[in-house]
Amino acid sequence: PSRAALATGIAIGEGQSLTRTLGMMPGNLCTPHFLSPPAAEIAKRHSFKATMLGRKELEAEKMGSMLSVAQGTPQDPQLIDLEYRGCKPEEKPVVLIGKGLCFDSGGISIKPADKMEYMKFDMSGGGAVLGAMDAIGTLKPKVNVVGIVGATTNMPSGDALKPGDVVQAHSGRFIEIINTDAEGRLVLADALAYGV
């Protein structure tokens, strides 16, 4: 029992370490595309099914809500999907969905400059999903788990989303944008619809 408890603690600790490492990285290094290799490595090491969607694939999936946030940046957005099977395939999975805003300026509805550097932490939910999936792969619980990360940045530019714009989400619903600093809801709306 003590060895099993130690192994569990190590697995959880390693997952937390990955999450914290990603969260502490500056936004110019921890970009949306930077999150894909650690996810692929986790998938390979634990034999997960892995799917990585970039801008073209997100367009094909009609993820207009997430893409509306990503249109303000030249960085390629990423939707990361890791699937762990710990029981019968027909059993519904637990789905973990994390917000991966590698930097959130607020977009056109720009945030105050004071403490804006902390917005590199807006990808912590996505980092937590990757850390959790790494721990799950080691612990091998008897449950199916899907981990999804919607990763992009929210930046002001000539192409950025504007207050008053209307976009169509992956679910088919239309969303009117009132404040572009509500980017997390836009990213998670498509990630949730994709995960259903």
Side-chain angles (χ1 to χ4, degrees):
S2 59
R3 288 192 179 187
L6 177 61
T8 298
I10 290 171
I12 292 170
E14 287 177 349
Q16 289 175 339
S17 180
L18 172 63
T19 298
R20 289 177 178 160
T21 298
L22 292 173
M24 288 303 299
M25 292 184 68
N28 63 320
L29 297 179
C30 187
T31 62
H33 197 262
F34 181 85
L35 295 176
S36 292
E41 191 277 327
I42 289 167
K44 183 177 180 181
R45 186 158 32 91
H46 298 300
S47 300
F48 292 168
K49 179 184 175 185
T51 305
M52 314 287 177
L53 306 181
R55 197 180 300 268
K56 287 183 180 179
E57 294 82 8
L58 292 169
E59 287 170 355
E61 288 285 340
K62 299 184 179 178
M63 293 194 177
S65 185
M66 181 172 168
L67 284 166
S68 72
V69 178
Q71 75 189 42
T73 177
Q75 294 178 345
D76 197 32
Q78 297 286 301
L79 187 114
I80 298 165
D81 176 11
L82 301 180
E83 299 181 27
Y84 163 78
R85 298 298 175 195
C87 62
K88 294 178 181 177
E90 62 270 17
E91 292 290 329
K92 288 187 177 180
V94 173
V95 181
L96 308 176
I97 298 181
K99 174 181 166 185
L101 266 293
C102 295
F103 192 82
D104 176 22
S105 71
I108 296 297
S109 307
I110 198 161
K111 294 178 181 289
D114 187 44
K115 309 294 186 189
M116 195 196 286
E117 67 272 19
Y118 291 136
M119 288 300 99
K120 70 177 186 176
F121 292 114
D122 220 19
M123 51 65 62
S124 295
V129 168
L130 294 182
M133 293 304 292
D134 191 22
I136 286 164
T138 301
L139 296 172
K140 297 180 174 36
K142 293 182 179 179
V143 63
N144 295 328
V145 183
V146 175
I148 297 173
V149 178
T152 187
T153 57
N154 185 22
M155 299 295 290
S157 77
D159 295 320
L161 184 68
K162 304 175 299 298
D165 286 359
V166 176
V167 300
Q168 187 171 18
H170 183 62
S171 66
R173 291 176 182 255
F174 290 90
I175 303 169
E176 181 183 12
I177 313 306
I178 304 302
N179 186 316
T180 65
D181 198 21
E183 84 300 323
R185 281 164 266 184
L186 295 171
V187 169
L188 291 172
D190 274 353
L192 282 163
Y194 179 84
V196 171

